[in-house]
Amino acid sequence: MKLRLISEPLSVLAAKAGAPHLAQRAFTLVEAMCSAAIAAIVLLALFSGLNSGFTLTQMERENLRATQIALARMEGLRLYLWSSNQLFNPQMLPNTFTDYYYPSGIGGFSSNTVYTGSVTIANVTLKPSASYSTNMQQVIVKVGWQDAFYGRTNYHTRTFNTYVARWGIQNYIFVQQ
Amino acid sequence: MKTLFPIAPAGNAKRSRAGWTLVEMLVALFCGMIILASLTAVTVFASRSYLAIANYRDLDNNSRNALDVMSRDIRSMAVVTSYSSSAISLSNIDGSTVTFSWNPAATTFTRTYTPAGGTATTSTLLTNCTILVFQVYSQVPTNSFQFPSTDSNPSETKLIDVSWRCARSILGGAETNSESVQTAKIVIRNHS
């Protein structure tokens, strides 16, 4: 394409209107293709940006549910007594568990992320050491899940840590000893 | 340079008064319609997306606030005085009471607090709450992190489980992109 500077008076231009150069100018194929390519890139960027935003939101929602599930486990743990029948009994406090994005009470939705969790109870090592450390246990609740965003399987985990004290709140709540 | 549709033979004296042919007009209209349609589609999609994310942020904000308020209230209460799967009432040692109630028709979740010897105040914690379920349990755990239900004797309750889902639909579309799911277990910590 040739650019041409218009430096003539309008009357002169009008007189030349019949000239093929000025009257029949249109977009060339290259121009049209360039503009189409630019439009395609802009649209693609817009869509992928929105899509990425949605994906991140969905991942955050699953993340948030994972914290709720771990937290519910922790809260239930408050009712467990320091005894071989309850806190230290894997039958009563299973080492692994399963939960869902849509909990049992409000289920019935099609896509339901599965969360697999584990509960570990371990001895506590304090630094500096303290005599009461034998009256404490560390509880680790770990929740893992997977999703399939960005065309691949992604694995996620969240871990909560807490200490359980032998003479802790459960004795205050229930006075059952 | 040659145009795709020559308007008039080059050098024609009446060139400046030439109009568009029907074919040119139709092609131009067709192209314009395609461009307009795609622009409309992009605009609607973008609006929906932003609306969905804004909705989700709003619903989640409300859900978190509701759970904070409920946790604070329930933990400091002493006993459950009445229970159903959509409503629960508790009272404290000093005589103050609190009731949480879900209204399925209005899809609202409300808190009514009555201080000892005072007047009740009601506030709405959640709107667009499509489902909410309370469950009540007693204190002694049984197998596999289960607790015995206290449906029939609510005053024995020590553990309250609550689940809800809030959702809004956008421009009549699916709700799934603007919903908030929340579950929690709350232990009653006060006792007489």
Side-chain angles (χ1 to χ4, degrees), chain B residues 24-121:
Chain B
E24 281 172 346
M25 195 66 202
L26 285 177
V27 170
L29 271 178
F30 182 70
C31 293
M33 273 165 63
I34 287 180
I35 290 169
L36 273 183
S38 55
L39 273 181
T40 312
V42 168
T43 311
V44 168
F45 180 73
S47 320
R48 269 198 181 168
S49 312
Y50 287 123
L51 212 55
I53 289 172
N55 264 347
Y56 173 63
R57 193 208 64 81
D58 193 36
L59 291 170
D60 190 51
N61 189 24
N62 291 340
S63 281
R64 282 175 181 231
N65 179 58
L67 185 63
D68 279 356
V69 171
M70 277 182 74
S71 301
R72 186 194 62 198
D73 283 344
I74 292 175
R75 282 175 178 165
S76 64
M77 288 288 159
V79 66
V80 174
T81 51
S82 79
Y83 161 79
S84 76
S85 65
S86 62
I88 195 163
S89 298
L90 300 100
S91 73
N92 208 343
I93 304 165
D94 66 358
S96 60
T97 62
V98 68
T99 300
F100 295 99
S101 173
W102 173 56
N103 182 338
T107 64
T108 55
F109 182 58
T110 55
R111 165 186 184 263
T112 305
Y113 179 73
T114 314
T119 50
T121 50

Side-chain angles (χ1 to χ4, degrees), chain A residues 79-93 121 176, chain B residues 139-141:
Chain A
L79 299 176
Y80 276 68
L81 294 177
W82 182 282
S83 81
S84 56
N85 276 336
Q86 293 191 14
L87 187 65
F88 301 107
N89 184 348
Q91 298 293 318
M92 300 288 268
L93 185 63
I121 296 185
Q176 70 178 22
Chain B
Q139 65 191 51
V140 183

Side-chain angles (χ1 to χ4, degrees), chain A residues 3-13 16 22:
Chain A
L3 281 178
R4 87 179 246 179
L5 284 173
I6 298 173
S7 58
E8 292 163 312
L10 279 175
S11 55
V12 179
L13 282 179
K16 288 183 174 179
L22 189 61

Side-chain angles (χ1 to χ4, degrees), chain A residues 53-145:
Chain A
F54 264 119
T55 306
L56 277 177
T57 310
Q58 183 61 28
M59 283 167 95
E60 276 314 303
R61 292 164 71 185
E62 290 176 356
N63 202 341
L64 184 63
R65 274 293 292 148
T67 64
Q68 293 173 8
I69 288 163
L71 203 59
R73 242 338 94 159
M74 287 291 189
E75 187 77 8
L77 205 65
R78 290 180 196 281
L79 299 176
Y80 276 68
L81 294 177
W82 182 282
S83 81
S84 56
N85 276 336
Q86 293 191 14
L87 187 65
F88 301 107
N89 184 348
Q91 298 293 318
M92 300 288 268
L93 185 63
N95 294 327
T96 58
F97 62 93
T98 307
D99 211 327
Y100 299 92
Y101 185 88
Y102 293 106
S104 54
I106 62 169
F109 297 94
S110 52
S111 65
N112 206 351
T113 307
V114 181
Y115 294 89
T116 49
S118 69
V119 180
T120 314
I121 296 185
N123 291 326
V124 176
T125 310
L126 294 176
K127 286 180 183 175
S129 64
S131 59
Y132 53 79
S133 64
T134 51
N135 288 330
M136 292 168 70
Q137 291 283 292
Q138 185 180 23
V139 178
I140 304 158
V141 175
K142 189 174 178 183
V143 176
W145 71 102

Side-chain angles (χ1 to χ4, degrees), chain A residues 1-2 14 17-21 23-28 31 43 46-47 50-51 53-54 57-58 60-62 64-65 67-69 71-81 86 89-94 99 101-107 109 169 171-176, chain B residues 1-4 6-12 15-16 38-39 41-42 45-46 48-50 52-53 56 60 64 67 75 130-133 135 138-147 158-159 163-165 175-191:
Chain A
M1 186 185 93
K2 276 187 184 173
H21 277 87
Q24 297 181 7
R25 267 207 317 201
F27 290 125
T28 63
E31 283 173 332
L43 283 181
L46 185 66
F47 272 106
L50 287 170
N51 197 32
F54 264 119
T57 310
Q58 183 61 28
E60 276 314 303
R61 292 164 71 185
E62 290 176 356
L64 184 63
R65 274 293 292 148
T67 64
Q68 293 173 8
I69 288 163
L71 203 59
R73 242 338 94 159
M74 287 291 189
E75 187 77 8
L77 205 65
R78 290 180 196 281
L79 299 176
Y80 276 68
L81 294 177
Q86 293 191 14
N89 184 348
Q91 298 293 318
M92 300 288 268
L93 185 63
D99 211 327
Y101 185 88
Y102 293 106
S104 54
I106 62 169
F109 297 94
I169 193 173
N171 303 306
Y172 166 76
I173 296 175
F174 303 121
V175 239
Q176 70 178 22
Chain B
M1 262 181 299
K2 282 189 174 178
T3 53
L4 201 53
I7 292 168
N12 190 333
R15 165 70 194 82
S16 59
S38 55
L39 273 181
V42 168
F45 180 73
R48 269 198 181 168
S49 312
Y50 287 123
I53 289 172
Y56 173 63
D60 190 51
R64 282 175 181 231
L67 185 63
R75 282 175 178 165
T130 56
I131 189 161
L132 186 141
V133 180
Q135 284 159 310
S138 72
Q139 65 191 51
V140 183
T142 60
N143 243 354
S144 290
F145 208 71
Q146 304 292 312
F147 296 87
K158 280 294 178 188
L159 180 68
S163 308
W164 70 75
R165 172 180 180 269
E175 301 179 325
T176 41
N177 286 321
S178 53
E179 67 167 5
S180 166
V181 175
Q182 179 89 47
T183 64
K185 283 184 165 64
I186 308 167
V187 172
I188 299 173
R189 298 189 191 173
N190 214 342
H191 65 78

